[in-house]
Amino acid sequence: ASDVYKRQGNVKFGCTNFIKENELENYFQNFYDAIYLDMADLDLAMEKAYNMLKPNGVLVINAMDLTKILKVVKKIKDKDLGFE
């Protein structure tokens, strides 16, 4: 599926596959105030998602099991992406 982006005033919505190569990744760098990830391989998408966030942006993840949570925490620490 192709990427879909829509704007309404100051609200931006996007839907994309963070794991595949994304030709729009550089265009949307520091673009979003918040990103919500709900996917199987969260750790593979973390760095791209952080790059697309504005400074002090919020990344929300839906990790349904401890294994996913630990992978995500490890990735955040290894890449020094920030952790709160």
Side-chain angles (χ1 to χ4, degrees):
S2 63
D3 298 340
V4 178
Y5 296 93
K6 171 168 73 171
R7 292 180 187 225
Q8 181 177 349
N10 67 343
V11 178
K12 304 170 206 136
F13 297 92
C15 180
T16 191
N17 182 340
F18 276 96
I19 295 175
K20 73 173 183 137
E21 288 298 320
N22 187 346
E23 64 278 358
L24 299 175
E25 181 181 353
N26 291 330
Y27 177 78
F28 289 105
Q29 193 166 357
N30 298 320
F31 187 75
Y32 290 104
D33 295 311
I35 294 177
Y36 175 80
L37 293 178
D38 183 7
M39 54 194 297
D41 297 314
L42 291 165
D43 56 309
L44 300 178
M46 296 294 299
E47 196 167 356
K48 284 185 180 185
Y50 267 96
N51 289 335
M52 295 175 86
L53 284 172
K54 289 181 180 177
N56 298 314
V58 176
L59 178 62
V60 179
I61 61 167
N62 185 12
M64 298 301 288
D65 60 67
L66 186 57
T67 302
K68 285 183 188 176
I69 293 168
L70 293 175
K71 279 179 151 180
V72 167
V73 169
K74 181 179 181 345
K75 182 69 135 194
I76 291 170
K77 287 182 177 179
D78 288 351
K79 296 289 185 173
D80 194 27
L81 298 174
F83 195 71
E84 288 188 40

